[in-house]
Amino acid sequence: MDKNAKMLKKVRVMADYQFGKGCGEILFPEDSTFQLSRTKRIRQIMSQGKRIATVRARDGTFTLSMDAATVIHKHIPAPGSRVTVCDDAVPFVSKGKTTFAKHVTAIDPELRSGDEVIVVDENDMVIATGQLVLSPEEIEALDTGAAVDVRCGCEQ
């Protein structure tokens, strides 16, 4: 097995663990290329010249591009990996602004604080991707504070 095939297998297994079975296969096509850190660890995964995901050095999990979030969104049935926001917040969140707890109308109860999430509007359209700051229980109990640290929105 050549080096690229070995790295591809590794990132697919990581994606299956983080997002659910089958996500690695749909996220990372055979033509995926890798950018490595100085220590020869995988940092970014690219396909057709576009970034799909970045591996966070801190914990080895993926941060997603909008394209990757859209692919996962199609693969995972609702409410999986989703945070739904009210229509009032959509213009701000889609520009990459923080999602606040008071704007969250629904959330996947299986999520944990720190997870990579897909932010959707009331019609289940992808508007952003980011990292969950609070747990689902905290978001439902609190009306203040940041719920999702948005990494990128669809209008950026």
Side-chain angles (χ1 to χ4, degrees):
M1 186 183 284
D2 71 326
K3 201 173 191 177
N4 208 47
K6 207 172 191 178
M7 286 190 282
L8 183 61
K9 184 176 181 185
K10 181 178 182 176
V11 295
R12 283 178 172 173
V13 168
M14 290 165 61
D16 285 351
Y17 171 75
Q18 187 174 346
F19 301 110
K21 195 164 178 65
C23 286
E25 196 78 29
I26 61 157
L27 255 186
F28 306 117
E30 291 295 327
D31 72 344
S32 297
T33 57
F34 304 92
Q35 287 184 353
L36 305 177
S37 68
R38 286 182 309 206
T39 58
K40 303 293 182 232
R41 292 185 181 194
I42 300 168
R43 276 295 155 250
Q44 292 195 343
I45 302 96
M46 319 278 278
S47 178
Q48 299 170 354
K50 294 170 82 176
R51 180 184 78 90
I52 302 172
T54 302
V55 180
R56 267 197 306 233
R58 179 170 32 108
D59 57 9
T61 58
F62 291 115
T63 62
L64 299 173
S65 67
M66 281 304 295
D67 293 336
T70 304
V71 168
I72 287 178
H73 175 266
K74 288 177 187 167
H75 181 72
I76 300 174
S81 294
R82 291 172 176 78
V83 174
T84 306
V85 296
C86 63
D87 291 335
D88 295 345
V90 170
F92 303 103
V93 175
S94 65
K95 289 184 178 129
K97 306 289 185 201
T98 301
T99 303
F100 291 98
K102 68 180 179 181
H103 297 126
V104 175
T105 57
I107 186 168
D108 177 3
E110 300 293 314
L111 292 172
R112 296 180 306 266
S113 177
D115 281 353
E116 190 73 9
V117 295
I118 301 165
V119 183
V120 296
D121 64 12
E122 297 281 355
N123 300 319
D124 201 36
M125 299 296 294
V126 178
I127 59 169
T129 179
Q131 184 178 11
L132 195 60
V133 178
L134 302 170
S135 71
E137 294 82 21
E138 291 170 324
I139 290 171
E140 288 171 9
L142 301 173
D143 264 351
T144 59
V148 179
D149 183 13
V150 174
R151 197 171 321 286
C152 60
C154 63
E155 292 181 21
Q156 284 184 313

